[in-house]
Amino acid sequence: MKIKTLLTVLTAASLGFTAFAADDDTPLSKQMSVVNKSLRLVKRQLGDAAKKDDNLALIGKVKAALDEAQKLEPKKTKDQADKAAYTKKFKEEMGELVKTVGELEAGIKSDSKDKAEAALKKIYEEKEKGHKDFGVDDD
């Protein structure tokens, strides 16, 4: 009987956490999740020349997600005193990220692993800076 009660409590708790996590998803976080997942896959298979077309397709997904993300605002925009400056800074940093993704794409197209790896490193540095600037909590 105790096991049944314990399982019921655990199930209820897990459902509560799932609902809480779903409330935290924003359109921007969903687009950035696509970017993150795609870039992780590119990073894993970058050394495999046979995956070049797959990587270019993933870069296409990243670019599309970034295009959509640039149309959105960070979750904390409404809490800012100077919303216009905050949004402008977001757009500028997203623009830089798009440029760096273009560098990654160029590196992959030209079969230059060094250029692609350098671009990936820069992307992750920009991600860290952006998350710090806009108060994003990494999971």
Side-chain angles (χ1 to χ4, degrees), residues 18-65:
T18 303
F20 178 73
D23 290 343
D24 201 33
D25 281 347
T26 64
L28 178 59
S29 69
K30 289 176 184 176
Q31 293 301 322
M32 297 311 287
S33 180
V34 169
V35 170
N36 195 34
K37 288 177 184 175
S38 298
L39 288 175
R40 277 188 294 187
L41 190 51
V42 168
K43 183 178 181 180
R44 267 186 271 155
Q45 59 191 33
L46 192 58
D48 187 354
K51 299 282 186 174
K52 179 178 178 176
D53 290 337
D54 292 343
N55 287 338
L56 291 173
L58 288 167
I59 296 298
K61 283 178 66 173
V62 168
K63 285 181 160 185

Side-chain angles (χ1 to χ4, degrees), residues 40-104:
R40 277 188 294 187
L41 190 51
V42 168
K43 183 178 181 180
R44 267 186 271 155
Q45 59 191 33
L46 192 58
D48 187 354
K51 299 282 186 174
K52 179 178 178 176
D53 290 337
D54 292 343
N55 287 338
L56 291 173
L58 288 167
I59 296 298
K61 283 178 66 173
V62 168
K63 285 181 160 185
L66 288 174
D67 287 345
E68 286 300 312
Q70 284 184 306
K71 298 174 188 174
L72 304 170
E73 293 181 346
K75 183 178 181 179
K76 296 182 181 184
T77 301
K78 64 183 179 293
D79 301 330
Q80 303 304 309
D82 190 351
K83 291 175 181 54
Y86 188 77
T87 303
K88 181 181 177 199
K89 183 176 181 180
F90 171 75
K91 303 281 184 199
E92 288 171 354
E93 289 191 22
M94 289 297 290
E96 288 299 314
L97 182 58
V98 169
K99 287 180 190 176
T100 309
V101 169
E103 294 171 15
L104 173 60

